[in-house]
Amino acid sequence: MSALMDAVRAGRTAEAVGLLDGMTDAERRSHFPELKALRKELRAAPWDAQSRRALPALHAAGAACQTGAAGVAGWIAAADLRWSRVSPGLLLHVLGDRDTDWLTDVTHRLAQRPVTAWVPFELMAGLVRLSGCPVPTTEAYVRGWVDHLHGSWQRGGTLFDRLRQDPHLPQLAAALFETNDIGGRLEWPNQEGPDSWTGALAQLTAEGALDRRATVDACVARLLRGGPAADQRVFLRLLKTLALTRAEERERVADWLALASDAASPVASHAQSVLGNLALDGELTPRHLAELSGAVLFRTEKKLVRAQLVLLSKVLARDASTAEELLLAAAQAFGHADSEVQERALKLVERHVKRLNTADARDELAVAAEQLVPGLRARASRTLGIAPAAPEPVTYEEVLPPVPEPVRLAPAPESVEELAEEVGAALAGEPGVTGFERALDGLVRQAYRNRDALLQALEPVMTRRWWDRADTLHAGDRFGTAHHGVSNAADGLDILLAALRGKVRTATLHARVQHGTTGRDCVHSALSRAFDSRVWEVAYRIRTDPLPFLLSTPTWSTGLLEPAELVERLEVYGRLGARVSSADFAQALLRVRRGDREAARTAAHRAAALGTAEGRRLAEWLTSEAPAFPTARRRTSGPRVLVELAELLELQEHFPAEFRPLGRPVGVFTERHYCYHWSDDIQQHWLALLPERRELVAVRLLRDLSALAVDDSRGAASVLPLLAESGGEAGEAVHLGVAYALGARHPEDRLAAVDALLVLAARGQLDTARLGADLGQLIRRGAVKPQRLAESARTAAATGANASIWGILRHTLPMLLADLATGGATAPARGLGDLLAVAAECAERSGARGELPHLAQTAARRGSSRLVAQARRLRSSLAGESAA
């Protein structure tokens, strides 16, 4: 071994660099194959291995012993050397004797590496100095430059001072505007003045160090391009700090119009303000102002819409000649989704309609007025002096999504190669009930038929799993710890694969089958223990007495199993002389369809004829009447309303021990709520445990669903659409779960709740009175915010479910209006006006009539707040009035 390799292997970096300094290029190249082999050797070494102390010396030597620029750049930025790099100064030392063209090539190759390569900025900047090449303006270089300037505050002076001394300031400052997602870095420090990026760049522009026109153009162009909110904030603040002159604002009218139309709300507001000032000073043509109005009046931000209507009013008051063009522009707000915006626009038209000189303009306004809500439409007819159109009788038809149809599971893959692909895909992502059950059944079948071929096909899959470490014979035994549960589908498949691979001891598998989960119970434990016990028993049988296939594989994606299919599987078991797995059979009983009584009786007759214990048990199960649902009662816990269930004896008799908790009582204060069941993915598999008894699952998920609204958690609502598609009674727990998720903090959870609501309505299982009363109670307790509920209700109504949403809100609103009507001291809940607006829109579209308790008193209150205005609108609609 050479002296250089001795020094590198020993980790003596300084000695290795000294030896390299005395070598010719040919001598350096001769050592590179050994260095490359050492790198390969160290890749496989454990992180804590002593041999890895050689990495820093290897990093420096490998960079010095190559002649190709691409090879050197790749070596310096390599991921396996990233955490053991030598200092940039040392790399500059070993590379500094190369010619400038070569150094330029290396510089730009390193700068083109992704940011995640973490190439040190000091190295790239040092190479720029050595080579004299043009400064790179790549994302990695610009981000490194920004971070370097942040980190050099110890040198003293402000950021402005440090930027002014940078020889590459014009090029790098221009590149800031082209770098994606840079705003978060430029926001720090979050202050004004020369020590902030916006203040420093504005001051440099004022001094002439940066070209003002180029900077302003780049800033506006960046805002036009859009991007993350942090980018928009920073460049908008810079634009304001630059303090554009009136001439600079005038020459960019087209840009302001585009920003007002499509940009984020703060940017659009600034553009609207600039154009408004130009308009009020007579420097914006009526055509441009009308174009601005057409862009802004269709935005959802009420602040922008109101500001635009105020601007139109001011311009009309100053210049009557613009009435025709601007009133038609204002009339575009007649189609706005918010009735208050419609009313503001109508008031503007009412004030200035006398200035219209042509019948054509009035006709256009009349056509636009057809978009107004009914009360405002009649008022507009009087304003324009036209006879209101006689309303045509319309029969309202509720538009609901088609009832989801369950999907029949395809048979398990016939070949081990195809099965291995499916298992690998299931481990890589959440496979759902269908993918998990197919993979599970496929593993059982192939382990029974040809275990060796299965292991060979699964080899590439298994070698990537954490439990297949070569240095630990039984790493998979961690699965066997008493507290370990199956947190997702991948966990379940991992247990089976580890059992097949021999990475879990047979004694460990047997202990889990015998003793189950012995950890502390929580509210989810009944579901998790039943699910886990089946997985562990199947894994144990794969090792000791393989099953020919699973009895409990569902027929349908919901988890339902057809009774005739289960009987056929028992018949095959009998012919093969196979011993039934108790957990697998218990799961099959819970999944078998009993709702179709005729099919159940037919299958029961065949099952009894088998003459086996399982056949008799199945026949008894299919012919027994489904027991009454356990008694439920409501309990309150802080702002939450939860449900308790009494015991269900049917699920405790003749079932394995790990399944019996499914029938035990569910208490609000007796169950532990904090546990390791943090993954939302497992919930769909719990639901497939009891596909005809979703209420038993919902009651155990209710606290998780309540956290969506009370604690602003995320993700738990993903189970609700599946819950709505499942079978059995949709009772208190299901409706309360939907109620909480309709008031969830995060939009994706509210959307899942809307999907569930629509599915329940389409299946005829939505109890609007129950859900409406639940929502009223939750809002009064502070668990659900009216504004969030209004957004969910508006989304559902937009699909065409106006009658369903009105049916819910007509039971929610009286509870919220009661205190107002009786003169209570409680202030109106924030967002109640929005909720009334949705109710009014649904009532108008569905043709609802009648009285709503406490609505008249609210509508009779003084003032013109949103709450009062929408109460009056709803009262008029329910009374069938055509005037506001």
Side-chain angles (χ1 to χ4, degrees):
M1 185 181 296
S2 66
L4 175 63
M5 291 306 299
D6 284 340
V8 169
R9 282 190 174 276
R12 299 191 296 272
T13 306
E15 180 183 338
V17 171
L19 291 170
L20 288 165
D21 286 343
M23 293 182 184
T24 64
D25 286 347
E27 289 172 332
R28 290 184 182 184
R29 286 195 299 271
S30 68
H31 287 93
F32 184 68
E34 291 181 281
L35 294 170
K36 188 175 179 181
L38 176 59
R39 178 183 172 187
K40 183 177 180 180
E41 175 188 329
L42 294 181
R43 277 200 195 109
W47 278 101
D48 55 352
Q50 284 294 316
S51 58
R52 293 184 69 85
R53 69 185 183 276
L55 286 173
L58 176 64
H59 189 231
C65 292
Q66 296 186 73
T67 54
V72 170
W75 186 280
I76 290 174
D80 58 318
L81 299 172
R82 182 176 301 161
W83 303 106
S84 304
R85 289 172 177 164
V86 292
S87 67
L90 198 56
L91 285 175
L92 291 172
H93 174 79
V94 300
L95 298 176
D97 58 349
R98 308 295 179 95
D99 65 74
T100 56
D101 288 343
W102 187 89
L103 289 173
T104 297
D105 194 1
V106 171
T107 303
H108 286 275
R109 287 179 183 276
L110 287 173
Q112 288 165 4
R113 291 274 170 169
V115 175
T116 52
W118 293 356
V119 178
F121 171 77
E122 293 79 2
L123 174 61
M124 294 186 286
L127 289 170
V128 169
R129 289 193 301 272
L130 285 174
S131 65
C133 67
V135 64
T137 55
T138 62
E139 182 179 3
Y141 196 93
V142 174
R143 286 176 180 270
W145 176 63
V146 171
D147 292 343
H148 174 72
L149 287 168
H150 282 160
S152 58
W153 59 271
Q154 299 96 333
R155 300 178 187 175
T158 63
L159 178 62
F160 165 74
D161 297 325
R162 298 194 293 276
L163 282 169
R164 186 163 53 177
Q165 297 168 10
D166 195 308
H168 305 294
L169 173 64
Q171 299 93 326
L172 292 174
L176 284 175
F177 298 96
E178 302 297 329
T179 304
N180 292 324
D181 202 14
I182 195 68
R185 282 173 162 81
L186 300 185
E187 280 188 310
W188 187 88
N190 188 17
Q191 60 188 33
E192 301 297 333
D195 210 27
S196 70
W197 277 94
T198 51
L201 291 173
Q203 193 169 339
L204 289 164
T205 303
E207 287 190 355
L210 296 176
D211 181 80
R212 179 174 178 84
R213 184 177 185 85
T215 302
V216 172
D217 285 344
C219 197
V220 173
R222 181 55 185 264
L223 292 173
L224 285 167
R225 197 173 82 193
D231 287 4
Q232 299 288 290
R233 285 194 302 268
V234 165
F235 291 110
L236 176 60
R237 190 167 71 180
L238 175 58
L239 187 64
K240 291 178 178 179
T241 309
L242 289 170
L244 272 61
T245 65
R246 182 52 59 88
E248 288 174 324
E249 291 176 342
R250 254 195 326 268
E251 67 185 15
R252 292 174 173 83
V253 167
D255 293 331
W256 306 130
L257 288 170
L259 289 172
S261 174
D262 298 321
S265 187
V267 179
S269 179
H270 177 71
Q272 182 189 39
S273 175
V274 171
L275 292 171
N277 291 333
L278 291 173
L280 293 174
D281 291 342
E283 298 183 78
L284 190 70
T285 65
R287 180 179 63 81
H288 279 139
L289 183 54
E291 186 179 344
L292 171 65
S293 301
V296 172
L297 292 178
F298 278 100
R299 293 187 66 121
T300 57
E301 302 95 328
K302 296 176 188 176
K303 182 178 179 181
L304 293 179
V305 174
R306 287 196 296 265
Q308 190 62 28
L309 291 173
V310 169
L311 174 62
L312 289 173
S313 179
K314 290 179 178 179
V315 174
L316 283 165
R318 294 186 181 194
D319 186 358
S321 65
T322 61
E324 184 167 321
E325 192 164 10
L326 296 187
L327 284 181
L328 291 174
Q332 295 181 72
F334 289 173
H336 198 277
D338 192 318
S339 64
E340 288 187 9
V341 171
Q342 294 184 11
E343 186 172 11
R344 284 175 179 267
L346 181 57
K347 286 180 179 178
L348 177 62
V349 171
E350 288 172 341
R351 283 198 299 271
H352 300 282
V353 70
K354 293 180 181 178
R355 298 181 178 181
L356 295 179
N357 299 318
T358 64
D360 289 344
R362 287 179 176 270
D363 290 342
E364 288 188 48
L365 285 176
V367 172
E370 294 176 1
Q371 303 174 81
L372 293 166
V373 297
L376 296 180
R377 198 180 309 146
R379 182 169 139 188
S381 298
R382 293 194 298 271
T383 298
L384 298 173
I386 58 176
E392 298 181 4
V394 178
T395 303
Y396 174 75
E397 292 186 10
E398 185 85 337
V399 179
L400 294 171
V403 176
E405 295 292 335
V407 177
R408 180 179 280 272
L409 264 68
E414 286 295 327
S415 69
V416 290
E417 292 78 15
E418 185 182 356
L419 174 62
E421 290 181 7
E422 289 203 14
V423 171
L427 290 169
E430 174 51 48
V433 172
T434 301
F436 173 73
E437 293 292 344
R438 273 173 50 84
L440 198 68
D441 188 45
L443 288 171
V444 170
R445 289 174 182 269
Q446 296 297 345
Y448 179 82
R449 295 174 186 172
N450 194 339
R451 183 191 188 94
D452 292 339
L454 176 61
L455 284 170
Q456 183 178 355
L458 288 170
E459 179 73 21
V461 176
M462 292 178 170
T463 53
R464 295 194 296 268
R465 307 311 294 171
W466 63 267
W467 43 262
D468 198 48
R469 289 177 52 184
D471 58 337
T472 306
L473 180 60
H474 294 291
D477 275 352
R478 295 184 199 172
F479 285 124
T481 56
H483 68 277
H484 189 283
V486 182
S487 61
N488 52 44
D491 267 1
L493 294 176
D494 269 326
I495 290 170
L496 262 67
L497 293 176
L500 272 168
R501 185 77 151 177
K503 288 292 182 175
V504 186
R505 294 182 177 89
T506 304
T508 301
L509 296 171
H510 184 257
R512 286 305 300 262
V513 171
Q514 291 295 311
H515 305 297
T517 302
T518 59
R520 188 178 174 189
D521 284 348
C522 67
V523 71
H524 312 102
S525 291
L527 301 168
S528 66
R529 289 174 66 175
F531 182 84
D532 294 2
S533 68
R534 173 175 172 244
V535 172
W536 281 107
E537 189 162 319
V538 168
Y540 176 65
R541 290 292 299 273
I542 279 180
R543 177 70 61 80
T544 60
D545 182 15
L547 299 165
F549 51 82
L550 292 178
L551 295 173
S552 59
T553 302
T555 307
W556 305 100
S557 55
T558 58
L560 269 178
L561 172 58
E562 292 298 334
E565 194 168 333
L566 178 54
V567 173
E568 290 172 4
R569 293 174 185 176
L570 286 173
E571 289 173 346
V572 175
Y573 260 62
R575 290 198 297 271
L576 295 175
R579 183 168 59 88
V580 171
S581 160
S582 60
D584 185 38
F585 183 61
Q587 176 64 91
L589 291 179
L590 294 178
R591 282 179 170 169
V592 71
R593 185 196 296 273
R594 293 200 288 174
D596 186 340
R597 302 307 299 161
E598 182 60 33
R601 282 192 293 271
T602 302
H605 180 73
R606 289 177 55 196
L610 293 176
T612 62
E614 289 78 19
R616 290 189 294 273
R617 175 79 173 101
L618 177 58
E620 177 186 346
W621 180 261
L622 290 172
T623 54
S624 62
E625 292 294 328
F629 195 77
T631 304
R633 69 166 178 167
R634 293 186 170 216
R635 298 290 297 271
T636 58
S637 175
R640 290 173 166 87
V641 177
L642 301 173
V643 176
E644 292 185 332
L645 289 183
E647 67 178 350
L648 187 61
L649 291 176
E650 184 194 42
L651 296 184
Q652 298 184 61
E653 298 171 347
H654 311 299
F655 272 93
E658 292 296 280
F659 283 78
R660 291 171 194 164
L662 291 170
R664 291 175 187 158
V666 179
V668 169
F669 301 108
T670 58
E671 302 282 2
R672 189 166 62 96
H673 306 296
Y674 300 99
C675 57
Y676 65 86
H677 300 111
W678 52 266
S679 173
D680 297 325
D681 292 336
I682 194 64
Q683 294 176 355
Q684 59 186 309
H685 300 284
W686 290 346
L687 191 58
L689 279 171
L690 299 157
E692 286 191 318
R693 301 191 186 195
R694 57 182 160 192
E695 194 75 2
L696 293 179
V697 180
V699 75
R700 291 175 167 90
L701 300 179
L702 195 52
R703 183 171 284 269
D704 299 316
L705 293 169
S706 71
L708 297 169
V710 177
D711 303 324
D712 293 347
S713 66
R714 186 196 295 264
S718 60
V719 75
L720 285 174
L722 299 175
L723 199 65
E725 294 175 25
S726 193
E729 178 187 357
E732 288 194 74
V734 170
H735 281 78
L736 264 176
V738 172
Y740 280 118
L742 288 171
R745 164 67 177 83
H746 299 285
E748 63 269 26
D749 289 314
R750 294 198 297 270
L751 189 59
V754 169
D755 288 344
L757 184 153
L758 295 174
V759 169
L760 288 172
R763 299 182 71 187
Q765 298 169 342
L766 179 66
D767 188 335
T768 56
R770 168 180 277 171
L771 182 56
D774 287 345
L775 287 165
Q777 185 179 7
L778 293 177
I779 290 173
R780 294 191 72 182
R781 297 185 64 83
V784 167
K785 294 179 172 59
Q787 201 160 16
R788 296 178 184 173
L789 174 59
E791 292 174 7
S792 298
R794 187 177 293 111
T795 300
T799 68
N802 294 284
S804 296
I805 299 304
W806 167 245
I808 294 168
L809 295 182
R810 67 188 289 266
H811 293 93
T812 302
L813 291 170
M815 301 175 67
L816 308 181
L817 299 174
D819 286 338
L820 300 178
T822 55
T826 306
R830 184 180 179 184
L832 182 53
D834 294 328
L835 205 56
L836 280 166
V838 178
E841 185 174 344
C842 290
E844 289 165 355
R845 293 182 176 178
S846 63
R849 296 291 183 267
E851 294 186 2
L852 193 70
H854 310 299
L855 178 63
Q857 294 93 322
T858 305
R861 289 163 66 97
R862 294 179 180 178
S864 56
S865 66
R866 181 169 178 78
L867 173 68
V868 174
Q870 294 302 326
R872 292 169 182 166
R873 176 188 172 191
L874 178 57
R875 180 188 60 181
S876 298
S877 177
L878 293 176
E881 298 175 6
S882 60

